[in-house]
């Protein structure tokens, strides 16, 4: 629940989603859902030569279960806020 | 690739006029599949293809189905060989 809310606040930011199959995709975070499925706009694959499959894809839907990392801009993260939210969540659960 | 006809909360999908694009190195092949129902468990990503953009890099070569299956087999066997060699090295504690 915590990260769902966190990602909702990040909508509009540029992120790089690294998948479990090693594919990395850069794009603008369009939306996220309770399963942490991600919709990206303005998509481009990080290593285009290694992964030529998605040259014409501009917008995509990524299933939450296949995401390894979501890379964020360091100044886009309020660490203290996240820290507090995590503490509250842990206390509640 | 194909036309997305429907989907559900599990990311199950129905694709009409589906075709499987297999890419091995610089070679590719489109294998027509017809109407497909895909189990969401297997879905990694669903991408919207922009018709105005190039689908593939220009240098790629289109080959037949038999040719691409052969190339896939070669790649798979090379991968397995690398895997077994690594296991042998790890067993011998080489770095």
């Amino acid at each position: 629940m915590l990260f769902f809310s966190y990602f909702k606040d990040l909508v509009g930011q540029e992120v790089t989603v690294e998948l479990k199959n090693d594919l990395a995709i850069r794009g603008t975070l369009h939306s996220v859902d309770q399963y942490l499925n991600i919709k990206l706009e303005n998509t481009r694959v990080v290593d285009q030569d290694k992964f030529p499959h998605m040259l014409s894809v501009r917008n995509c839907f990524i299933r939450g279960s296949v995401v390894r990392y979501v890379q964020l801009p360091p100044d886009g993260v309020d660490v203290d806020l996240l820290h507090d939210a995590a503490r509250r969540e842990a206390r509640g659960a | 690739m194909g036309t997305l006809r429907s989907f559900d909360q599990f990311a199950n999908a129905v694709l009409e006029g589906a075709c499987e694009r297999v890419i091995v190195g610089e070679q590719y092949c489109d294998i027509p599949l017809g109407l497909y129902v895909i189990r969401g468990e297997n879905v990694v990503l669903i991408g919207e293809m922009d018709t105005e953009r190039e689908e593939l890099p220009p240098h790629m070569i289109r080959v037949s189905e038999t040719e691409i299956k052969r190339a896939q087999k070669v790649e798979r066997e090379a991968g397995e060989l690398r895997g077994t060699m690594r296991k042998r090295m790890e067993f011998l504690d080489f770095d």
Side-chain angles (χ1 to χ4, degrees):
Chain A
M1 207 52 214
L2 190 162
F3 281 102
F4 175 34
S5 313
Y6 177 64
F7 281 131
K8 273 197 289 185
D9 292 335
L10 282 179
V11 166
Q13 295 244 25
E14 270 277 294
V15 297
T16 300
V17 181
E18 185 176 323
L19 308 183
K20 290 177 182 171
N21 66 1
D22 291 345
L23 179 64
I25 305 165
R26 193 152 178 81
T28 315
L29 187 62
H30 174 269
S31 59
V32 69
D33 68 11
Q34 51 171 317
Y35 304 110
L36 303 187
N37 293 330
I38 291 170
K39 269 199 191 159
L40 286 183
E41 289 198 326
N42 232 328
T43 317
R44 48 235 119 87
V45 174
V46 169
D47 193 343
Q48 295 261 18
D49 301 318
K50 195 171 173 205
F51 300 104
H53 312 65
M54 289 180 41
L55 219 53
S56 69
V57 174
R58 226 68 205 92
N59 310 317
C60 69
F61 161 88
I62 303 173
R63 201 173 194 265
S65 64
V66 307
V67 173
R68 183 187 288 143
Y69 304 124
V70 178
Q71 295 164 11
L72 312 164
D75 45 346
V77 182
D78 187 341
V79 184
D80 296 321
L81 200 67
L82 207 55
H83 200 172
D84 287 337
R87 210 181 288 129
R88 268 182 272 124
E89 181 98 355
R91 203 160 289 156
Chain B
M1 297 157 50
T3 308
L4 184 66
R5 278 317 202 174
S6 66
F7 60 93
D8 65 7
Q9 69 268 43
F10 306 109
N12 294 327
V14 174
L15 272 191
E16 194 172 31
C19 114
E20 178 177 359
R21 175 164 287 167
V22 183
I23 299 177
V24 181
E26 304 289 289
Q27 298 178 323
Y28 77 97
C29 177
D30 290 344
I31 305 167
L33 303 169
L35 187 64
Y36 251 49
V37 175
I38 302 170
R39 189 179 165 85
E41 190 181 345
N42 303 293
V43 171
V44 171
L45 177 157
I46 301 183
E48 179 186 1
M49 297 176 73
D50 188 352
T51 43
E52 287 181 13
R53 303 183 95 234
E54 274 305 304
E55 284 179 13
L56 283 171
H59 57 81
M60 299 203 67
I61 314 157
R62 179 137 182 240
V63 298
S64 69
E65 189 173 337
T66 19
E67 180 75 44
I68 204 83
K69 294 243 147 94
R70 198 182 311 142
Q72 269 184 314
K73 186 159 181 262
V74 169
E75 200 183 45
R76 188 174 51 244
E77 283 165 2
E80 279 165 19
L81 182 62
R82 257 180 265 129
T84 56
M85 300 259 301
R86 178 168 298 144
K87 276 188 212 131
R88 277 192 218 138
M89 299 294 255
E90 283 170 1
F91 177 76
L92 293 170
D93 263 342
F94 279 171
D95 268 317

